[in-house]
Amino acid sequence: LRKASPVVRRPKPLSLRELEIRAEALAGRSVAEVARALDVSLPHEPKRAKGFVGMLVEQALGADPKAGEDPDFPELGVELKTVPIDKNGAPAESTFVCSIAMAHADQEEWTSSRLRQRLQHVLWVPVEAAKVSELPLRRIGRPVLWRPDVEQERLLESDWQDLMGAIGAGRGGTLTAREGVVLQVRPKAARADERTLGPGPDGPQQTLPLGFYLRQSFTAALLHGRVHYPTAHGC
DNA sequence: TCGTGATCATCT
DNA sequence: AGATGATCACGA
């Protein structure tokens, strides 16, 4: 995020309620309005604007810029995610959740997994997608504070076990985004030829870095407070 | 270099 | 059109 001159950053919210109120206050505002209020200049080429809106909203809400792998609001245990919305109000893209630690993929457990930690408590902020309006005109919508319910957590764990199991067993190279009911595994790298140490069929080898994404259908449902899938083995 | 923030560009 | 695989920017 480029700052035009003095650095402007909101103080961190001291309570969940304060965070919600701030997020509600962004509803209806445009990217240009928020950027101007924070004294941030807009990127000109859309191709170079990936991630801009997410970082802008982080700054507007007082997220900890040094959080790293921790939640955006460490004291509140809340993760912030902006979600691009199409003209019908549905997610326009899948949602990146976290990268996969390839080197330790065979040792990770669901309960302490990066993915579960990140999705424990999420503040979703809908924003008009890049294909709906030009960057400055993209409007922010009403936030949704979400925790996975029992059914959602079951779906997430089931996919995670399948996908992480495959990666840990050295079959990560055979995975595509078609696997998974609510999750996807997709490349997460600057270039398709990047490699990092990970499990291979015959032991550790250089592998394509992967990340977890939420399918649009899952995100769409949770934004409306209802995720209900038919169970694969009958009710 | 890796992880965070995502959207782009192409193929089906 | 929608989904998949590829790509862009930034910070520690």
Side-chain angles (χ1 to χ4, degrees):
Chain A
L1 232 52
R2 293 190 294 262
K3 287 89 179 178
S5 42
V7 176
V8 179
R9 174 171 285 283
R10 292 259 191 293
K12 65 184 180 186
L14 298 179
S15 69
L16 189 56
R17 187 63 193 132
E18 184 177 2
L19 175 57
E20 287 186 274
I21 290 169
R22 286 192 198 176
E24 290 280 357
L26 289 180
R29 302 189 70 186
S30 69
V31 165
E33 288 171 342
V34 174
R36 187 166 61 173
L38 295 173
D39 204 12
V40 166
S41 58
L42 299 177
H44 292 89
E45 304 169 68
K47 194 175 168 183
R48 294 188 169 183
K50 299 179 186 179
F52 178 84
V53 173
M55 295 166 76
L56 184 72
V57 174
E58 279 186 354
Q59 186 173 332
L61 296 180
D64 185 346
K66 298 174 185 171
E69 294 186 38
D70 292 333
D72 292 301
F73 302 96
E75 291 85 357
L76 303 179
V78 172
E79 174 68 20
L80 171 67
K81 297 215 78 69
T82 57
V83 52
I85 296 297
D86 66 20
K87 60 181 178 1
N88 300 317
E93 299 271 359
S94 54
T95 301
F96 172 69
V97 180
C98 59
S99 58
I100 295 172
M102 302 299 291
H104 312 289
D106 55 342
Q107 303 158 35
E108 205 167 352
E109 293 176 13
W110 166 248
T111 304
S112 56
S113 66
R114 205 181 259 185
L115 182 125
R116 182 165 183 264
Q117 297 304 312
R118 302 219 98 211
L119 296 181
Q120 277 293 314
H121 207 174
V122 180
L123 180 68
W124 296 92
V125 176
V127 182
E128 284 181 331
K131 288 165 185 168
V132 174
S133 321
E134 292 184 0
L135 180 65
L137 301 178
R138 292 173 60 185
R139 291 202 170 269
I140 298 171
R142 294 200 60 190
V144 174
L145 194 57
W146 171 77
R147 284 177 176 283
D149 63 24
V150 173
E151 167 71 353
Q152 292 164 350
E153 171 131 0
R154 187 187 68 74
L155 290 161
L156 291 167
E157 176 176 4
S158 174
D159 275 355
W160 186 92
Q161 296 288 4
D162 289 350
L163 298 167
M164 230 22 197
I167 294 167
R171 299 195 303 274
T174 70
L175 289 178
T176 73
R178 295 167 186 80
E179 310 291 334
V181 176
V182 298
L183 288 179
Q184 294 176 304
V185 165
R186 289 168 40 195
K188 179 57 174 169
R191 297 159 46 98
D193 61 5
E194 276 198 16
R195 294 295 182 273
T196 189
L197 193 63
D202 305 306
Q205 65 173 60
Q206 292 303 112
T207 57
L208 178 64
L210 303 173
F212 281 119
Y213 293 75
L214 295 178
R215 290 190 180 279
Q216 289 102 314
S217 57
F218 185 78
T219 311
L222 74 84
L223 287 177
H224 290 101
R226 48 179 175 71
V227 173
H228 295 304
Y229 289 84
T231 60
H233 33 280
C235 300

